[in-house]
Amino acid sequence: MEQELKTETTRKLILEKAFQRFYKQGFKSSSVNEIMKDTGLSKGAFYHNFKNKDELGVLVVKAELHSRIYKAMISPLYAEGIAKSILKSTFLNKFQAFTSDEKLMGCPVNNLINEIGGTQNLLNEALKELIDTWVAAVVKILERGHRDGSIKPETNPQQAAIYLVSSFEGMRGIRKLYTDDMHWNAYKAALENYIDQL
């Protein structure tokens, strides 16, 4: 039991440090040596827990990134209340909560998609699964909005969900290009207006 706890603690530490390293300098530019130096553990501890960096990358997506997206953008959609209000507050509250550093660094999910997207591998599949989970949660709240009357019957939940997730992630990427919030604030107003019209 004690050994299992130690192994789990070690894996969690490696995942956290790998996430931080991938976010700061990218997946491809991050080495196992750098990640393990960040943990203060030996390289042997890495290979005791993971086959290679690709396996670690998949687990970072499935654990760290999924947890972040679920907590901020999926879980709030299941709250009680009027569907459109919940949808609006979920997207706008998260959008307003980003720190200056997060604006400059962009979204870790989006960064990883831009870095490795298009290749057919398990990391790409894990990212697709994460985006699909997020889109599905937005579809559900929009369908709930059809039932409670807060979303217009002609609104296509699948199309609107894909648009909301894509535009949100796209703006996070675009914001990295600028030193001010002019485009950021314009997008926020457009996002709010779009949701109001659903």
Side-chain angles (χ1 to χ4, degrees):
M1 180 67 170
E2 190 178 323
Q3 182 58 39
E4 286 176 22
L5 267 170
K6 186 178 176 187
T7 299
E8 187 54 38
T9 302
T10 299
R11 285 174 65 84
K12 190 170 174 17
L13 177 63
I14 295 170
L15 285 168
E16 286 170 3
K17 295 301 181 181
F19 162 73
Q20 292 166 9
R21 180 68 62 174
F22 296 163
Y23 191 20
K24 287 177 185 167
Q25 68 184 47
F27 176 77
K28 291 178 182 174
S29 298
S30 300
S31 71
V32 170
N33 286 339
E34 290 171 322
I35 292 165
M36 295 315 291
K37 186 176 178 185
D38 293 343
T39 67
L41 300 171
S42 70
K43 201 169 175 182
F46 177 86
Y47 289 107
H48 178 74
N49 288 281
F50 306 99
K51 281 189 264 181
N52 52 41
K53 191 174 86 169
D54 286 347
E55 181 186 45
L56 175 64
V58 169
L59 291 170
V60 165
V61 172
K62 290 187 173 185
E64 296 292 320
L65 295 180
H66 189 276
S67 174
R68 290 167 63 94
I69 294 287
Y70 192 87
K71 183 179 175 185
M73 301 302 298
I74 296 174
S75 179
L77 296 176
Y78 292 101
E80 294 293 320
I82 304 298
K84 184 184 280 190
S85 299
I86 292 166
L87 179 67
K88 190 174 178 180
S89 65
T90 299
F91 274 85
L92 292 176
N93 288 347
K94 183 57 183 170
F95 198 75
Q96 291 169 307
F98 290 120
T99 65
S100 297
D101 284 346
E102 287 173 319
K103 289 176 186 176
L104 289 172
M105 292 173 65
C107 173
V109 174
N110 194 19
N111 293 349
L112 202 48
I113 289 169
N114 286 324
E115 184 180 3
I116 63 95
T119 56
Q120 294 304 312
N121 58 37
L122 292 176
L123 187 53
N124 199 44
E125 291 303 312
L127 286 164
K128 284 196 311 194
E129 185 180 312
L130 174 55
I131 294 298
D132 288 346
T133 300
W134 186 5
V135 168
V138 178
V139 167
K140 283 183 184 174
I141 191 78
L142 290 164
E143 289 172 344
R144 198 170 114 195
H146 281 164
R147 292 190 297 274
D148 72 19
S150 64
I151 301 291
K152 294 173 186 171
E154 62 268 24
T155 297
N156 181 306
Q158 185 70 27
Q159 290 173 359
I162 290 170
Y163 178 78
L164 282 165
V165 170
S166 299
S167 69
F168 190 85
E169 286 297 290
M171 187 63 230
R172 293 218 49 207
I174 289 169
R175 175 58 179 81
K176 295 191 297 183
L177 298 172
Y178 298 93
T179 56
D180 62 50
D181 281 341
M182 185 178 78
H183 292 82
W184 185 262
N185 292 333
Y187 172 76
K188 179 183 166 287
L191 175 64
E192 190 167 6
N193 189 46
Y194 176 76
I195 294 172
D196 282 340
Q197 292 181 47
L198 290 174

